Amino acid sequence: MGGICYVARVGITGCYMREDGMGMAAVAEHIEYRRELFPDDTVTIHTALMRVSNSSCQFKHTMTCEEIGEVIATAELTGVHIDRSTHSSRPFPLEVRDAFESIRITT
């Protein structure tokens, strides 16, 4: 499940963003490339929620090349819950924070 699926699963959907005026912004990303890919390689991406705080969360994506069975890249992404009109951080609603915590514990 990718980062976008995670935020939708916890309630940060397009409807939430439009109606409540809140959203998510990626503020940091670190990518480590380990191997090259070739045309037609199949890549599987596993996403895990590493951390959630009052207004931010951190995901780790692990990309594996199925043909060789090796991790070819990892990426860590930090996202911040923001007020879309002011572009400033805002705490997650309690139900969103609780949903993030339940995902982090189960994955």
Side-chain angles (χ1 to χ4, degrees), residues 25-39:
V27 297
E29 187 168 10
H30 173 78
I31 302 171
E32 179 183 325
Y33 296 101
R34 297 182 183 178
R35 294 188 64 112
E36 66 183 332
L37 287 173
F38 296 101

Side-chain angles (χ1 to χ4, degrees), residues 7-8 10-26 54-56 79-97 100:
V7 297
V10 301
I12 302 175
T13 62
C15 183
Y16 167 85
M17 293 170 73
R18 281 186 292 278
E19 291 178 7
D20 293 359
M22 298 296 178
M24 293 294 293
N54 189 43
S55 61
S56 68
V80 175
H81 186 246
I82 62 165
D83 179 316
R84 293 179 50 236
S85 65
T86 64
H87 300 282
S88 56
S89 68
R90 291 289 182 262
F92 289 117
L94 184 57
E95 62 273 11
V96 169
R97 173 87 190 253
F100 266 129

Side-chain angles (χ1 to χ4, degrees), residues 37-44 64-68 72:
L37 287 173
F38 296 101
D40 299 325
D41 279 349
T42 302
V43 177
T44 299
T64 303
C65 177
E66 294 301 317
E67 283 73 18
I68 59 175
I72 50 121

